[in-house]
Amino acid sequence: MSEDNFNQGNKFREYIFYSIITGVISGFILFFFRYSSNFLMELSKDLYNFFSLNINYAPLFFILLFVLSILMYFNIKNVRESSGGGISRSMALIGGSINFHDNLKIIIATTLGSFLSFFGGLSLGAEGPSVFLGTLIGNEIFNKLNIFNSHLKKVILTVGSAGGFVSALGTPLSAILFSIEENHTISIIDLKNKHTFYLIISIIIGGLSAACIVYLLCYLFNINFILLDVSGNINLNLNYIYIPIIIGVFIGFLSLIYNLIIKNFLIFFLKLKSNNYLSFLLITLAFTLSGFIGLLFIDTSGSGIDIIFHIFEFKYFLYALIFILIIKIFLIGFSTATGSTGGLFLPMLVVGALIGGIIAEFLIIGGLNNSYYGTIVIISMITFMASSVKTPITAFIFCFEISGSFSTSLFSILAIVISLIISNYFNGESLNESILDISLERHNLNKESISNQKYI
């Protein structure tokens, strides 16, 4: 073996070794973040149920929300990096546009802020903070290594983000693809490059290492590995090829509207948040509105994962679906724009599922057998995800992982392609890219600074 091949072999083993270490550590730590988050979300649900049934004690409930908003305000004020969902900051950190040295401080603040959001019932999910925390864990591991290799850093941070995704949702294949698709631009030609090979193989092995740890811990703690298991729905056949076409057209336009709403919420509130008093008022208002609406309509509180399962259980009629959709979009936009800690990925799936329920209801009114209701919801949910954040490959794999059916995934491809054609025609931007632009602007950076630093 030549000396060059020997060095390359050692380098590859180094990449694999550190990827496995990062995957194991991020998977282990973030499993307990997921476990604690789920506990607080369940506790929040119990509180909302109790106070909705004992309305005389409502003042105590709003006092509690006020205290939570105070804690959230000071948490964000002291550690600004803990605000928001985290996926956009994870992208910026991996891309090199920003860098953190006090990772532990940010990890603690992000965890605390997330717990405050979940306990308060804000319409935010755990997946965004989990991805950000995983990236921070990767960053801390790299800093401890004292290795000056920017490419290895990108690999380790990407593995950390994949560990965060798989810990939150229990979908390892889509976690790995999402981490690659969001953070690295890879062409067919680049696949011949050894650095690209190191990158892809290392992320795959690191992500699978995290998945193994999370799966083992889920088994030991007796909880579901896949957070959103919607398998068992009847597959469509070619006679219903028009259904994904309808879904693709509707969601192509609706995802544009949704992204625009969230983006404008962020832009408008960013101007207001320059004033500390207004910033505090907005956070307090986010908790108060979430509490008030949640007491009236319990299902609107929290991330909304229960809404998805209730849709599959035919719990909502058409008008209820439309009403909840409007309320959830408002609460998601408001909660996100205030800077409260929490992710947008799961709420985005909730919006997609609600749109799918509405489409299914209209198709059933038109004569479709209601046994296809769940399948339509799955296709709509996945299509909305792909169209909103522009990750079609991840969406396809995610569809298979949560539905257990390639047939459903294949119909989803048609809907995804149509929705992306419509979205791209109207210059629709990825929601994460939009949030990243706003975040970089806030830090006096620009989009090119991260795009140019993406590896490959």
Side-chain angles (χ1 to χ4, degrees):
M1 180 185 292
S2 68
E3 184 177 347
D4 183 61
N5 288 337
F6 179 78
N7 290 334
Q8 290 297 330
N10 281 341
K11 188 175 183 180
F12 181 60
R13 284 191 288 271
E14 180 185 40
Y15 273 58
I16 297 300
F17 175 75
Y18 289 127
S19 294
I20 292 173
I21 293 297
T22 304
V24 169
I25 293 174
S26 61
F28 182 83
I29 294 174
L30 294 174
F31 166 81
F32 291 100
F33 175 75
R34 168 182 170 176
Y35 188 84
S36 302
S37 299
N38 290 346
F39 172 78
L40 288 171
M41 289 177 185
E42 289 298 321
L43 185 58
S44 173
K45 200 186 310 177
D46 291 339
L47 278 175
Y48 272 85
N49 279 315
F50 174 80
F51 284 107
S52 66
L53 296 173
N54 299 273
I55 203 66
N56 292 335
Y57 296 104
L60 293 175
F61 177 68
F62 287 103
I63 290 173
L64 173 62
L65 292 180
F66 181 67
V67 172
L68 294 177
S69 64
I70 292 173
L71 294 173
M72 179 69 80
Y73 170 74
F74 282 107
N75 188 62
I76 294 172
K77 184 178 180 182
N78 291 329
V79 186
R80 187 176 64 173
E81 294 83 2
S82 67
S83 67
I87 290 180
S88 60
R89 286 195 307 285
S90 175
M91 292 166 62
L93 187 56
I94 293 171
S97 291
I98 57 176
N99 190 29
F100 304 131
H101 297 288
D102 196 350
N103 296 295
L104 183 59
K105 180 180 179 181
I106 302 171
I107 287 171
I108 293 172
T110 301
T111 302
L112 175 60
S114 300
F115 288 169
L116 292 172
S117 292
F118 305 151
F119 188 55
L122 297 187
S123 293
L124 300 170
E127 65 299 321
S130 188
V131 169
F132 183 49
L133 289 171
T135 310
L136 288 171
I137 291 170
N139 196 38
E140 182 64 17
I141 291 172
F142 180 81
N143 290 342
K144 295 297 183 185
L145 295 176
N146 291 320
I147 297 175
F148 301 97
N149 182 335
S150 59
H151 182 246
L152 178 57
K153 180 178 181 179
K154 291 178 187 292
V155 171
I156 291 175
L157 267 61
T158 306
V159 170
S161 72
F165 192 107
V166 73
S167 299
L169 297 172
T171 52
L173 297 180
S174 50
I176 293 167
L177 284 170
F178 182 81
S179 299
I180 295 173
E181 203 170 7
E182 280 285 65
N183 298 296
H184 305 277
T185 305
I186 300 174
S187 68
I188 298 297
I189 297 175
D190 293 321
L191 294 176
K192 299 178 181 179
N193 188 304
K194 64 177 182 295
H195 293 294
T196 308
F197 176 77
Y198 291 169
L199 175 83
I200 294 174
I201 298 301
S202 299
I203 294 171
I204 290 173
I205 292 176
L208 292 177
S209 300
C212 290
I213 293 298
V214 174
Y215 182 84
L216 176 62
L217 290 170
C218 285
Y219 176 78
L220 293 175
F221 283 80
N222 194 30
I223 64 175
N224 291 332
F225 176 59
I226 299 178
L227 182 68
L228 192 61
D229 187 351
V230 291
S231 57
N233 290 281
I234 298 174
N235 295 324
L236 296 172
N237 58 50
L238 289 177
N239 294 331
Y240 299 104
I241 194 69
Y242 65 91
I243 291 178
I245 296 174
I246 293 172
I247 292 172
V249 171
F250 272 93
I251 287 183
F253 287 107
L254 292 174
S255 64
L256 285 169
I257 295 170
Y258 174 77
N259 286 9
L260 193 62
I261 290 172
I262 301 299
K263 182 177 180 179
N264 282 303
F265 257 112
L266 287 165
I267 293 171
F268 179 71
F269 277 42
L270 187 61
K271 296 176 183 177
L272 298 179
K273 286 191 294 182
S274 59
N275 182 299
N276 285 334
Y277 295 107
L278 280 176
S279 181
F280 172 68
L281 179 63
L282 291 171
I283 292 173
T284 303
L285 193 57
F287 277 91
T288 303
L289 283 174
S290 296
F292 178 75
I293 296 173
L295 287 181
L296 296 176
F297 311 100
I298 298 294
D299 286 353
T300 62
S301 68
S303 65
I305 188 169
D306 287 339
I307 292 176
I308 296 177
F309 291 119
H310 289 161
I311 290 172
F312 283 96
E313 295 166 359
F314 300 94
K315 183 175 179 180
Y316 306 120
F317 294 110
L318 177 61
Y319 295 121
L321 289 167
I322 295 172
F323 173 77
I324 295 173
L325 175 64
I326 295 170
I327 292 296
K328 286 304 289 185
I329 291 177
F330 171 77
L331 290 176
I332 292 166
F334 201 101
S335 298
T336 302
T338 60
S340 299
T341 312
L344 283 174
F345 190 88
L346 187 56
M348 174 183 64
L349 293 177
V350 173
V351 171
L354 286 165
I355 293 172
I358 293 168
I359 293 172
E361 288 285 350
F362 276 113
L363 289 173
I364 290 169
I365 291 172
L368 182 70
N369 191 309
N370 63 9
S371 61
Y372 296 110
Y373 185 95
T375 304
I376 294 170
V377 172
I378 293 173
I379 295 173
S380 300
M381 185 167 57
I382 299 306
T383 303
F384 190 82
M385 165 191 164
S387 187
S388 182
V389 296
K390 300 294 188 295
T391 53
I393 300 174
T394 300
F396 169 74
I397 298 300
F398 187 74
C399 181
F400 169 71
E401 288 187 291
I402 66 172
S403 69
S405 170
F406 265 120
S407 178
T408 302
S409 304
L410 291 172
F411 273 91
S412 295
I413 290 176
L414 178 58
I416 288 169
V417 169
I418 293 171
S419 69
L420 287 175
I421 289 172
I422 293 172
S423 178
N424 292 336
Y425 180 81
F426 290 97
N427 299 315
E429 191 178 19
S430 162
L431 180 60
N432 288 333
E433 289 286 345
S434 297
I435 295 173
L436 178 59
D437 285 346
I438 296 168
S439 177
L440 293 177
E441 183 180 344
R442 184 179 180 182
H443 288 84
N444 296 317
L445 295 170
N446 53 55
K447 187 176 180 181
E448 285 71 25
S449 66
I450 184 171
S451 297
N452 292 336
Q453 294 184 65
K454 277 187 179 183
Y455 177 72
I456 303 169

